[in-house]
Amino acid sequence: MLYLIGLGLSYSSDITVRGLEIVKKCSRVYLEHYTSILMAASQTELEEFYGKKIVMADREMVETGLQEILRDSDKEDVAFLVVGDPFGATTHTDLVLRARQQKIDVEIVHNASVMNAVGSCGLQLYNFGQTVSMVFFTDNWRPDSWYDKIWENRKIGLHTLVLLDIKVKEQSIENMARGRLIYEPPRYMSIAQCCEQLLEIEEGRQSSAYTPETPAVAISRLGAPTQTFKSGTIEELADYDSGEPLHSLVILGRQCHELELEYLLQFATDPQNFKLKVAKDQEYFKPEPWRPPTQDN
């Protein structure tokens, strides 16, 4: 059996009881190590807690070396550990499909992820639209396909969760071209960099999916002991020091409920000013009032 087991967001003990029982009986245990990190637990701490040796599965192993993970999974129990929930990344869906194509039984053990824990910032989960990912821009690569999704969410009044890029065990283009297995230091996108990229693309697009004055909430180290939230406009958060990773951002939708706003005000430097910005944003993309048809119609 191949088990995909969610670890939760931060601590070694965030794994479910059922998940821990399964890990302890598995012959091999892999930890996916490129879509996210467990903020309050190291590999050594996890191995001590589980009583098992852990193999770190980087991007190369997960995307091109799946056969090693699947090896003998039809004869023995193998665990694939994922920070958050197993289906938080499309790569893991591919792993399940590949396993089932090879007639390997698969079982999923779910856990908390940013997709549901984001509600702790005070915004109601059923008011969220499409989630987008913000990647690091380079000199010649500045993707903006996420922009239209934010526009669509904003058009119908829904909040947008923006997941910020992380780079773990990545190679430079030069080292990759020369075949040198030299890896760059880990990088984690900050709230400020995300907001700067948002503003850059809006300036180029000029479609007003959002503006510098659009309200947002910065989320830092969700689920960790140092979890923090910060409410402000995109422009204000472009100057915000969000501290240690991991980070994510929520761009507010037009339909911000009064209870959501009340919760967000406790994270604002100037609550009254933030309240005014949200009130102004309520008019953004607001549908035209309904008018009864005339005789001509």
Side-chain angles (χ1 to χ4, degrees):
M1 176 82 75
L2 173 67
Y3 293 94
L4 271 68
I5 302 174
L7 298 185
L9 294 168
S10 187
Y11 299 92
S12 58
S13 55
D14 282 346
I15 190 172
T16 64
V17 173
R18 178 165 163 264
L20 180 59
E21 291 173 345
I22 292 171
V23 168
K24 287 182 176 295
K25 74 172 186 176
C26 286
S27 58
R28 299 198 315 278
V29 180
Y30 296 91
L31 173 60
E32 190 262 79
H33 189 60
Y34 73 91
T35 61
S36 189
I37 59 171
L38 208 58
M39 291 174 285
S42 66
Q43 179 182 355
T44 299
E45 290 169 330
L46 290 177
E47 289 178 336
E48 291 176 354
F49 187 75
Y50 300 153
K52 286 284 184 177
K53 174 74 175 175
I54 294 175
V55 177
M56 303 300 280
D58 57 18
R59 180 187 296 272
E60 183 179 358
M61 173 177 281
V62 176
E63 293 187 347
T64 63
L66 283 182
Q67 201 51 48
E68 169 57 25
I69 297 172
L70 297 177
R71 175 176 54 84
D72 295 332
S73 295
D74 56 338
K75 306 182 185 68
E76 55 191 40
D77 292 325
V78 176
F80 184 78
L81 310 180
V82 180
V83 175
D85 186 82
F87 288 126
T90 55
T91 299
H92 309 138
T93 305
D94 181 58
L95 175 58
V96 171
L97 289 173
R98 290 278 297 276
R100 288 177 176 163
Q101 287 169 2
Q102 298 180 39
K103 309 301 182 185
I104 296 170
D105 291 331
V106 179
E107 190 168 323
I108 311 298
V109 181
H110 295 286
N111 209 320
S113 76
V114 65
M115 303 296 286
N116 58 358
V118 66
S120 60
C121 75
L123 297 175
Q124 297 165 4
L125 292 178
Y126 52 74
N127 286 337
F128 279 77
Q130 303 170 88
T131 297
V132 303
S133 297
M134 179 68 69
V135 301
F136 283 109
F137 286 178
T138 66
D139 291 340
N140 53 12
W141 189 59
R142 310 179 97 73
D144 62 356
S145 58
W146 44 264
Y147 182 93
D148 294 325
K149 293 184 179 181
I150 296 176
W151 190 93
E152 290 167 0
N153 289 344
R154 296 269 293 158
K155 190 72 173 177
I156 58 176
L158 300 179
H159 311 312
T160 303
L161 172 60
V162 184
L163 303 177
L164 276 56
D165 199 8
I166 73 171
K167 298 291 187 186
V168 179
K169 202 177 179 183
E170 297 277 339
Q171 290 179 277
S172 68
I173 294 176
E174 180 183 356
N175 285 330
M176 191 180 301
R178 294 177 179 273
R180 298 185 299 211
L181 294 178
I182 301 173
Y183 299 99
E184 300 293 296
R187 290 192 296 151
Y188 307 93
M189 184 179 289
S190 68
I191 295 294
Q193 184 169 6
C194 173
C195 290
E196 288 170 0
Q197 294 187 180
L198 283 166
L199 295 174
E200 176 186 326
I201 296 302
E202 174 53 46
E203 185 177 354
R205 285 283 198 110
Q206 293 291 306
S207 298
S208 297
Y210 50 84
T211 74
E213 295 291 287
T214 296
V217 55
I219 303 173
S220 300
R221 298 168 297 281
L222 185 62
T226 57
Q227 169 181 289
T228 59
F229 305 102
K230 181 69 174 178
S231 301
T233 65
I234 294 176
E235 186 173 48
E236 290 167 346
L237 294 176
D239 292 321
Y240 172 56
D241 182 359
S242 49
E244 295 296 313
L246 298 170
H247 307 289
S248 53
L249 180 79
V250 179
I251 300 172
L252 267 63
R254 172 176 42 78
Q255 301 181 63
C256 184
H257 191 274
E258 59 183 16
L259 288 179
E260 291 180 302
L261 176 57
E262 182 181 349
Y263 207 97
L264 291 177
L265 290 178
Q266 64 185 316
F267 309 131
T269 301
D270 184 345
Q272 187 58 35
N273 184 54
F274 184 76
K275 189 173 183 179
L276 292 173
K277 295 292 174 59
V278 172
K280 182 179 179 181
D281 195 62
Q282 297 284 353
E283 303 300 315
Y284 201 68
F285 283 141
K286 191 171 184 178
E288 291 292 328
W290 181 84
R291 294 183 177 86
T294 64
Q295 289 184 340
D296 295 338
N297 294 334

